Amino acid sequence: MIEQSKSQNLTIPRPVEVHPLAVVDSKAELGNGVVVGAGAVIGPEVRIGDNTLIGPNSVVDGRVRIGSFNKVFPGACIGLEPQDLKYKGAPTEVIIGDGNTIRECVTVNRATNEGEQTRIGSNSLLMAYTHIAHGCDIGNEVVISNSVQVAGEVMIEDQAVIGGCLGIHQFVHIGCLAMVGGMTRVDRDVPPYCLVEGHPGRMRGLNRVGIRRRGLESKSPEEFKELLEVWNLIFKSGNVYSKSLTLVRERKLMPSAQKLCNFLEASIQKGRRGPMPFLNSTN
């Protein structure tokens, strides 16, 4: 945070505050206004941006770059070695953007192979006991609820909301503005704008609440109407996804429906987990 001098037109950066019981390596780089709580440990390859709070008894070690205005709560561990038997000591990284809230006992592991990164965007909330495994890519404004276990190489796009007490299988891709209900078994891809819940997880419909909150329905009613029509054609027609997508592609689509179709076409390719089936679907 930058303080404004009343007597002069100057900005005065706040000093770094490190608790006497914290351990900060002399090679670590801490920006203006960083606060490090009691018992926290900061390793030599760590870079932390301005006005970030590192809570008591947190550990930030390995090649880690954290942006500005983040809050890391007590007991979080960021940048430690991945829980992956393939890891052979490569100098991989964790990259975290700005304005995130990382709650108590969250763990964020670095990636496995040379040149890879585990990434978290900006303005996201990771609630207590969340685990982000090696090589994950978490977007912006994502909410991950308590005790979510995100396995390796998972991608979660912007503005997705993940309910509590669930596991996400390796290599799963969750689209933007998707909503995953609590205690769902997430073993296949979750398309953008969709609501998924259950054990095993099944598609239930569009994430109408999330779409409404983000203003798509009110700001662009025609685009929302097309998204709803395309969704119904793909998931309720009784056709396999590939046939439905072929029919949809016969017309020009607006951005939201285009994003949904692009996601599904990528998901059904060989080597991907495949999209979550609709409830009572044959896909």
Side-chain angles (χ1 to χ4, degrees):
M1 186 179 298
I2 301 298
E3 297 178 351
Q4 184 74 37
S5 170
K6 294 181 180 179
S7 59
Q8 304 177 50
N9 187 23
L10 298 173
T11 54
I12 304 173
R14 286 177 50 190
V16 173
E17 299 179 26
V18 178
H19 193 279
L21 297 180
V23 178
V24 178
D25 193 281
S26 61
K27 295 180 181 177
E29 299 180 18
L30 307 183
N32 296 320
V34 169
V35 177
V36 182
V41 177
I42 309 294
E45 297 182 284
V46 173
R47 294 165 54 191
I48 301 176
D50 295 347
N51 304 293
T52 285
L53 169 66
I54 305 297
N57 301 313
S58 298
V59 177
V60 186
D61 198 10
R63 290 191 175 186
V64 179
R65 187 163 76 242
I66 300 176
S68 301
F69 295 98
N70 294 283
K71 292 183 179 180
V72 178
F73 279 70
C77 294
I78 300 173
L80 302 184
E81 291 186 3
Q83 299 174 82
D84 185 352
L85 294 175
K86 300 187 299 297
Y87 182 67
K88 304 302 180 184
T92 54
E93 298 178 299
V94 171
I95 307 295
I96 298 176
D98 303 324
N100 298 289
T101 300
I102 299 175
R103 294 301 305 239
E104 296 85 354
C105 302
V106 168
T107 52
V108 182
N109 291 164
R110 61 181 182 260
T112 297
N113 299 311
E114 182 81 34
E116 294 180 347
Q117 300 172 335
T118 300
R119 302 186 66 90
I120 297 172
S122 296
N123 303 311
S124 291
L125 169 59
L126 278 59
M127 296 187 192
Y129 298 99
T130 291
H131 173 65
I132 306 296
H134 57 276
C136 288
D137 189 348
I138 312 299
N140 304 310
E141 301 181 58
V142 172
V143 176
I144 303 180
S145 302
N146 299 80
S147 301
V148 172
Q149 310 302 298
V150 184
E153 311 294 338
V154 166
M155 176 178 286
I156 303 177
E157 293 184 0
D158 297 350
Q159 302 175 348
V161 177
I162 313 299
C165 301
L166 60 81
I168 302 177
H169 196 284
Q170 294 94 332
F171 301 103
V172 159
H173 188 164
I174 297 176
C176 69
L177 259 178
M179 170 70 192
V180 179
M183 295 185 284
T184 296
R185 190 180 84 192
V186 187
D187 58 359
R188 297 174 73 174
D189 293 346
V190 179
Y193 313 108
C194 291
L195 171 64
V196 165
E197 64 175 355
H199 191 88
R202 290 292 182 265
M203 201 92 62
R204 305 288 174 155
L206 282 175
N207 178 20
R208 297 290 294 266
V209 173
I211 290 170
R212 189 177 302 116
R213 286 175 177 171
R214 296 293 177 175
L216 175 61
E217 190 171 357
S218 59
K219 294 177 183 177
S220 184
E222 291 302 316
E223 185 174 351
F224 173 74
K225 181 180 178 182
E226 181 187 69
L227 175 63
L228 183 59
E229 291 173 353
V230 168
W231 194 94
N232 284 329
L233 177 58
I234 293 172
F235 294 107
K236 290 189 174 182
S237 66
N239 297 324
V240 296
Y241 290 146
S242 57
K243 182 177 180 179
S244 294
L245 287 166
T246 300
L247 294 174
V248 168
R249 289 300 193 184
E250 293 177 354
R251 55 171 157 165
K252 187 176 180 180
L253 300 174
M254 286 183 273
S256 297
Q258 180 76 36
K259 183 183 288 290
L260 175 62
C261 292
N262 289 347
F263 183 101
L264 289 168
E265 286 170 345
S267 183
I268 62 178
Q269 297 301 310
K270 184 177 180 180
R272 288 282 297 269
R273 298 291 304 172
M276 194 77 71
F278 182 62
L279 187 65
N280 299 325
S281 168
T282 57
N283 282 281

